[in-house]
Every structure is written in structure tokens, then in C-alpha cells.
Amino acid sequence: MEATVEVDGLRKRFGPTPALDGMTFTVRPGQVTGFVGPNGAGKSTTMRVILGLDAPDQGRALIGGQPYASLRHPLSHVGALLDAGALQPSRSARHHLLWLAHSQGLRAGRVDDVIGLTGLASATRRKAGGYSLGMRQRLGIAAALLGDPPVLMLDEPFNGLDPEGILWMRTFLRALAAEGRAVLVSSHLMSELQDAADHLVVAGRGRVVADTSVADLIAAASGDRVTLRTEARSAAMTVLASAGATVAATGRDTVTISGLPARQVVALLGDSAVPFAEVSAHRATLEEAYMELTRDVTEFRGAQVTS
């Protein structure tokens, strides 16, 4: 079942506006790859090129070594959710899925399978036009899974989900990857990707800014910083600065320290009889790491394209 998505040197302009400028990365089986970047970074255009909806000016995008246009029964190779609203509102969820299954030569029983997988059993006979955005997301994912594909591509799948739905989505994405699928997820919600993604591709100005594991990106952003919690903030800052550390007050009783390891901070404060409640190595969030990485990455000047 294994397949990869290969994006190689994609370039694309819409009139005078550049959208992609050499976009290159690989989505590998067995992991969830987060695809992130500021608005205008080229994420949606890249996904559309992979799916054959836009033609690149240069470069190529392959699914399992083939361009999308050459795939026979494409839902058996790649499932995608780019727009949860792309459905006939007067059609029931079940009939929507049956129509898609029939178009791909899939058995009707597969519709029941994906309805069960996505938690839609109680709402399959309702008209899809009356669904909430969260329910439409589930229906879109059910459609993407119809062909039991080795590759899944989802654009902002967390949108519209309640807390229970977000937890389900995180767990579901990781389970799909654990089955050996290559899963590409575009999202602006870094807190959700931190718990769902194994790998991250960061896009900016139509090209890849970073292509790394989530763990390595967070480790790099965390650096050698130490967080100190103390009621004697001023005294602690004086002692630590005198020892050569860079210190910054980040709260009423919180200090961030760079240049000294946690164990040395503890020793210095103990020697100076400065009380403290906590000393811990700082661990950045994925959102902090992302913001630091993309601080200087802005949209193309005058760009009118979406993300």
C-alpha cells in the first residue's frame, strides 16, 4: 500500500503574481506531515498542483511515482479534502458517498465502512446542506477514505471541530499514518499539529523554509533557555546576571535565563540563599518555533493568491 508524494521544483505564476518558486519536498508513508506557512506561502496552490487542479509552469508532483492525471481510479491512490463545502447540499451524506463510490468502481459496502470510521452513522440520511462545518469535515474525510488510499491530503481539517472532534481528528490522523499511509495536513493550528504531526514542511514565499521533524524544530527553538519561578525575582536576576547569564523577566514571578544550564542556576541560587519554586529547561511550543522561523517570511509583494 505504501506510496509517497514527491514535489520537485514547482514554479507557478498567476499572471504577474508568483505563487510557487521552486517548492520541493517529499511526504513519506508512515507519518503525518504538517504543511504550514503564512497566508500566500503557496500551500493551497501546491496541493492543487499535486491533485492536477492547477498545472505548474515548471517542476512536477508525483503520487506513488505517477502524476495525478495518469492515475486510474484516483481515489484508490490518493484521498483529498480541500473544501468541506464541496458537496451537493440537497443530497444526503450516504447518497453523496454512494455517488462517489460508484464513480470510482468501488463497492457500496465501502460507504458503510467509512461512515463508521468517521462517526457519521447517526446522520447519514440527513441532507448534507444542514450539516455543521465539523460534520462536513467528517463527511469530506469519509469521501477521501473511500478508496482506502495509501496517500491522504487534508487542507485545514481541524476547522469547525469542537474539542471532542479535535481530539478525534488528532488520534485518527496518527492512526492512519500508523497503517503506513502518507498523510499531508495543511493547518494554521500549530497546537493541534504539535500533537498530531511527526514531520513539518514550512513554506514561505512559494518555497520550503524548513523540512524537519516536529521534535527537532521544537528542540532548536527551545535552545539553552531555562525557566525560573521565584518570589524573589529581582534578587535572582541580580545573582544570575552577575554569573554571566542573560536574564529576562517574563512574568511577575517568572524569569527566562540563557547562558547557564539548569543545574548551575540551582547551585547559584542556593549559594546566595535566593528562594525559588521551580527551575526547568525551557521547552518551546510548536507555535513559538513556527513564529520564530517565519518571522521574516512574508507574502509575495502584491500577492493576491490564497495560502
Side-chain angles (χ1 to χ4, degrees):
M1 185 180 76
E2 284 194 358
T4 60
V5 177
E6 300 169 73
V7 174
D8 184 14
L10 292 184
R11 297 182 186 276
K12 177 71 177 177
R13 299 180 74 90
F14 293 98
T17 303
L20 301 177
D21 187 24
M23 187 76 75
T24 300
F25 62 89
T26 299
V27 183
R28 304 188 186 282
Q31 63 184 20
V32 178
T33 298
F35 192 26
V36 302
N39 289 335
K43 303 186 301 297
S44 292
T45 301
T46 299
M47 297 178 89
R48 288 178 60 83
V49 169
I50 294 170
L51 295 170
L53 298 172
D54 285 329
D57 300 327
Q58 294 180 37
R60 63 179 186 168
L62 303 177
I63 299 168
Q66 301 179 67
Y68 184 88
S70 72
L71 298 175
R72 180 173 171 81
H73 298 311
L75 276 185
S76 297
H77 298 270
V78 55
L81 171 59
L82 299 190
D83 180 1
L87 45 79
Q88 170 52 256
S90 63
R91 186 178 290 157
S92 72
R94 183 175 181 79
H95 285 155
H96 173 71
L97 294 171
L98 282 170
W99 172 77
L100 284 172
H102 179 71
S103 74
Q104 298 287 300
L106 300 171
R107 60 183 179 85
R110 181 61 183 165
V111 170
D112 296 319
D113 294 342
V114 298
I115 284 172
L117 284 171
T118 54
L120 287 170
S122 64
T124 52
R125 301 194 182 279
R126 285 170 43 199
K127 291 182 179 180
Y131 276 14
S132 66
L133 177 55
M135 290 295 286
R136 290 187 184 194
Q137 295 281 30
R138 289 178 183 253
L139 178 56
I141 292 170
L145 288 170
L146 271 174
D148 196 18
V151 174
L152 286 166
M153 294 174 47
L154 310 175
D155 192 5
E156 300 291 351
F158 295 102
N159 280 0
L161 296 179
D162 58 18
E164 181 182 357
I166 289 173
L167 177 59
W168 169 81
M169 180 66 73
R170 279 196 229 122
T171 305
F172 193 52
L173 291 174
R174 296 195 69 85
L176 291 169
E179 294 172 352
R181 303 177 205 265
V183 182
L184 179 65
V185 179
S186 173
S187 180
H188 286 99
L189 299 178
M190 297 300 128
S191 58
E192 307 312 334
L193 285 181
Q194 180 165 338
D195 294 324
D198 308 285
H199 200 83
L200 210 66
V201 174
V202 183
R205 299 180 182 175
R207 62 176 71 95
V208 172
V209 176
D211 186 345
T212 184
S213 72
V214 171
D216 286 349
L217 184 62
I218 289 175
S222 299
D224 64 349
R225 286 177 289 173
V226 173
T227 297
L228 166 67
R229 195 172 301 279
T230 174
E231 294 182 358
R233 191 184 69 179
S234 296
M237 292 179 70
T238 299
V239 168
L240 297 171
S242 298
T246 300
V247 296
T250 51
R252 184 177 58 82
D253 61 351
T254 308
V255 177
T256 297
I257 305 142
S258 298
L260 291 176
R263 63 180 180 278
Q264 192 172 349
V265 170
V266 170
L268 286 167
L269 295 177
D271 290 345
S272 299
V274 177
F276 60 90
E278 177 188 348
V279 174
S280 59
H282 176 75
R283 184 176 186 270
T285 65
L286 182 58
E287 184 172 28
E288 289 172 333
Y290 167 80
M291 294 301 292
E292 182 175 322
L293 189 63
T294 59
R295 184 178 297 126
D296 298 323
V297 178
T298 57
E299 297 182 31
F300 284 109
R301 186 176 300 276
Q304 297 299 314
V305 295
T306 61
S307 65

